[in-house]
Amino acid sequence: MLDLKRQYEPLQKELLDAVQHVLETQQFILGEQVAVFEKAAAAHLDVKHAIGCSSGTDALWLALAAAGIGPGDAVVTTPFSFFASVSAILRAGARPVLADIDPVTFNLAPDAVQAVLEQPEGAGVKALLPVHLYGQCADWTAFSQLAAPRGLKLIEDAAQAWGAEWNGRKAGGLGDAAAFSFYPTKNLSAAGDAGMVTTNNAEIAERSRMLRQHGMRRRYHHDEVGWNTRLDGFQGAILQVKLKYIAGWNEARRSLANRYHSLFHAAGVAEAGPYPVHGIVLPSEVSGARHVWHQYVIRCARRDELREFLASRNIGSEIYYPVPLHTQTALKSLGYVQGDFPESERAAREVLALPIFPELREDEQQAVVQGIVEFLA
Ligand SMILES: Cc1ncc(COP(=O)(O)O)c(C=O)c1O
């Protein structure tokens, strides 16, 4: 599914030098290497401020808390995402409100959000938290139009979307604040847990820096109860190296996605969708989006059988995500039940992520496609 060693090998010398530099300077927490990475990251995304932290999960919490979301507020997000999209809202002390997804992009559907905002459960909503799932931006034009007249904050869950764009603007600078993850499987990845908040708002940036260090502006003077969620020097140094390559890696992912498209179409197994019948439905890049293909996710009605068939041929695949968040045991108290979000529930039954990473070879892609064609036959 993913071979990280293929990324490491050509970068080995640069990465070891970077790690050695941290050891020599002994700046392990924040420090010079994190500051340099934050500056380079902000320039790369064309945003004013970038604040490194311990994980994407913490970045989501920091972004919400720094934007002033807390107890008494509600935040609308998607049930078809990683758990942190919802748990970070709870950790900020706010109430998550869910709305269903679009069956083509798997992203939060603007019309579903609008419906929620117009119902009683929409009272108290202070922010929208769309997720740029699989590396494709949520419909930011529509979300901006929903947020502006209501004075809602817009927070991006950009954990899977480093380098993705919406109408020529990069994810990370679309909303009031954004959260990135550098978990090792992400398209821009650290050698451990790491994350980042980005924003063009000086106040949110300042509050994020304060909250990531126990609410301190001055050493041992705590203005608020923050948390310890600092980025460490090793991760800052490693991410600086990888940042130089991410544009090329994302281009490689786009080429790989195009090749999957061509191979599946040539094999005659691609169906129009959005729902699969006998074959598979391919993912698509929608108008306005520049997809970075963090994942290449097909739909198949017999998904579990297909996955087993591929595994028997040593072909990796993954399910992101098999259990929609509104049916998770830990989130029962939100009051949702099975049947509340049919698109998310159907997606959870049908999606299958295929191998896609910059170093994936053509013969390996052909084997994936061949395996699926044989299964369908
Ligand atoms: C959409 C989404 N949000 C949030 C996160 C949380 O990031 P992390 O694992 O770095 O805490 C992830 C990654 O796991 C993610 O995919």
Side-chain angles (χ1 to χ4, degrees):
M1 183 64 187
L2 173 62
D3 183 358
L4 283 170
K5 279 198 185 143
R6 295 190 205 174
Q7 185 193 72
Y8 173 62
E9 277 156 11
L11 297 184
Q12 189 180 36
K13 167 127 190 17
E14 260 187 286
L15 289 170
L16 290 179
D17 286 350
V19 167
Q20 191 176 351
H21 180 74
V22 176
L23 286 170
E24 281 165 4
T25 57
Q26 296 280 302
Q27 291 196 17
F28 297 125
I29 305 290
L30 298 174
E32 180 207 348
Q33 294 310 308
V34 169
V36 172
F37 171 58
E38 289 177 337
K39 209 165 165 220
H44 188 97
L45 295 180
D46 205 17
V47 291
K48 291 195 182 128
H49 311 278
I51 301 98
C53 63
S54 312
S55 69
T57 304
D58 278 354
L60 277 170
W61 165 73
L62 265 182
L64 288 162
I69 304 301
D73 299 334
V75 180
V76 184
T77 193
T78 162
F80 193 62
S81 180
F82 180 63
F83 185 68
S85 307
V86 167
S87 67
I89 297 170
L90 289 166
R91 193 169 150 220
R95 177 171 60 95
V97 174
L98 303 177
D100 214 351
I101 57 165
D102 173 276
V104 174
T105 61
F106 305 102
N107 278 327
L108 191 60
D111 54 350
V113 173
Q114 180 165 5
V116 159
L117 292 173
E118 287 166 1
Q119 284 162 17
E121 62 172 328
V125 170
K126 290 284 160 52
L128 308 182
L129 177 60
V131 179
H132 304 320
L133 201 69
Y134 305 148
Q136 172 157 252
C137 286
D139 183 345
W140 217 259
T141 310
F143 289 120
S144 303
Q145 283 164 1
L146 285 175
R150 296 173 172 86
L152 306 179
K153 293 270 192 297
L154 275 173
I155 312 290
E156 301 169 62
D157 183 338
Q160 304 186 2
W162 189 280
E165 293 177 16
W166 183 258
N167 286 337
R169 287 167 58 215
K170 285 226 173 76
L174 300 173
D176 294 282
F180 287 95
S181 164
F182 305 124
Y183 185 80
T185 59
K186 297 293 191 263
N187 62 334
L188 178 60
S189 64
D193 272 315
M196 176 167 266
V197 174
T198 60
T199 179
N200 285 309
N201 180 312
E203 193 189 333
I204 292 177
E206 195 274 335
R207 282 183 55 73
S208 298
R209 287 184 193 283
M210 178 267 293
L211 289 169
R212 79 173 167 180
Q213 286 232 72
H214 288 296
M216 284 190 286
R217 291 189 169 90
R218 250 193 320 151
R219 207 164 159 80
Y220 302 129
H221 291 73
H222 303 271
D223 300 336
E224 286 183 48
V225 179
W227 207 246
N228 170 6
T229 175
R230 299 170 294 226
L231 185 61
D232 74 73
F234 288 119
Q235 305 308 339
I238 283 166
L239 285 160
Q240 264 180 67
V241 171
K242 293 199 184 181
L243 187 65
K244 292 187 270 176
Y245 299 95
I246 184 66
W249 289 336
N250 282 343
E251 274 310 319
R253 286 174 182 273
R254 289 177 61 79
S255 304
L256 291 164
N258 278 335
R259 190 187 289 144
Y260 267 138
H261 275 47
S262 312
L263 291 171
F264 282 123
H265 279 295
V269 293
E271 293 175 347
Y275 310 113
V277 185
H278 304 296
I280 57 168
V281 174
L282 305 181
S284 55
E285 182 178 58
V286 297
S287 168
R290 185 173 186 279
H291 203 320
V292 291
W293 299 101
H294 180 256
Q295 298 296 344
Y296 187 91
V297 177
I298 62 167
R299 292 182 92 127
C300 179
R302 289 156 59 212
R303 188 268 317 273
D304 293 337
E305 283 171 72
L306 170 59
R307 184 159 194 238
E308 267 176 44
F309 183 87
L310 293 175
S312 73
R313 299 183 150 213
N314 237 354
I315 295 172
S317 64
E318 265 302 338
I319 301 168
Y320 307 112
Y321 295 92
V323 184
L325 298 177
H326 65 289
T327 63
Q328 294 284 355
T329 308
L331 299 175
K332 261 198 188 128
S333 62
L334 298 184
Y336 295 109
V337 293
Q338 181 81 25
D340 280 349
F341 303 108
E343 293 295 354
S344 299
E345 291 166 21
R346 182 163 190 168
R349 290 194 301 271
E350 293 181 346
V351 292
L352 191 66
L354 305 181
I356 189 163
F357 54 96
E359 303 79 14
L360 186 69
R361 296 191 313 264
E362 183 167 359
D363 62 302
E364 291 171 320
Q365 271 195 297
Q366 277 164 345
V368 175
V369 173
Q370 191 57 30
I372 292 173
V373 168
E374 280 176 32
F375 169 79
L376 293 170

